[in-house]
Amino acid sequence: MSQAPSASGAPEQNGLGTMHGQPGLAQQVPQLVPASPGAGMGGSGSSSSGGGGKAEAPSKQGKKSARMDRASEEYRQRRERNNMAVKKSRLKSKQKAQDTLQRVTQLKEENERLEAKIKLLTKELSVLKDLFLEHAHNLADNVPPTGPEETAVANREGTGP
């Protein structure tokens, strides 16, 4: 290994300690505990320093100074952009809820109209059915039978051809 072994055996700055196995040879091994108290114990616990902890997401890598100076111009700009995005999102959500309520109202009105139309058409069907049945009964009563039996009876009476 290219680094000189630590004389004291204490963890080095790079998170590696030394282990003396054979006389004269020292190996660097990763430390399982943080090099300094509280290292790797950031706000979310997803810091990759501290060995054995969770790896950082690619979007979080390179952002070592997670706490930005609140007085900085970059912080102020980020907060402003975030506030605008939040406002936009809330307005969009509110508009969607209003559109949904309007659509519900329209559909309820249409449903009521259609139910009224169903009632009207059902009544009309009932009236027409009654008229048809009445007309069919009247036709059956007024029409003389014209089957083969009637022709034979008419022939016997001498009224047939």
Side-chain angles (χ1 to χ4, degrees):
M1 305 268 169
S2 62
Q3 291 187 339
S6 172
S8 66
E12 297 177 7
Q13 292 292 68
N14 62 3
L16 299 174
T18 56
M19 185 173 110
H20 300 282
Q22 296 177 349
L25 292 178
Q27 293 180 331
Q28 289 185 341
V29 291
Q31 294 295 307
L32 298 178
V33 290
S36 62
M41 298 295 175
S44 66
S46 63
S47 175
S48 63
S49 66
K54 291 183 181 177
E56 286 183 344
S59 64
K60 300 284 183 186
Q61 290 177 354
K63 296 183 180 181
K64 295 294 180 189
S65 60
R67 296 209 118 230
M68 205 179 288
D69 182 21
R70 289 184 176 217
S72 74
E73 182 66 20
E74 182 185 1
Y75 176 81
R76 190 189 61 73
Q77 287 176 348
R78 284 180 179 225
R79 291 301 316 144
E80 192 173 319
R81 279 199 311 264
N82 182 261
N83 290 343
M84 296 286 282
V86 167
K87 273 185 190 175
K88 184 178 176 183
S89 174
R90 288 178 181 157
L91 282 173
K92 188 177 178 183
S93 176
K94 197 178 284 187
Q95 182 65 43
K96 188 174 180 180
Q98 287 176 347
D99 291 347
T100 302
L101 284 175
Q102 186 178 1
R103 180 77 174 134
V104 166
T105 304
Q106 287 175 344
L107 289 173
K108 281 183 178 179
E109 289 173 358
E110 184 180 0
N111 196 28
E112 288 173 5
R113 280 195 308 272
L114 291 172
E115 285 179 356
K117 190 172 185 177
I118 287 172
K119 276 186 177 178
L120 180 70
L121 290 173
T122 303
K123 279 184 180 178
E124 188 177 342
L125 177 64
S126 179
V127 168
L128 290 173
K129 201 184 279 186
D130 290 344
L131 282 174
F132 176 76
L133 290 174
E134 186 181 327
H135 183 70
H137 287 299
N138 286 341
L139 281 178
D141 292 342
N142 292 337
V143 174
T146 55
E149 296 175 5
E150 291 98 38
T151 347
V153 171
N155 284 340
R156 277 185 270 160
E157 295 177 0
T159 58

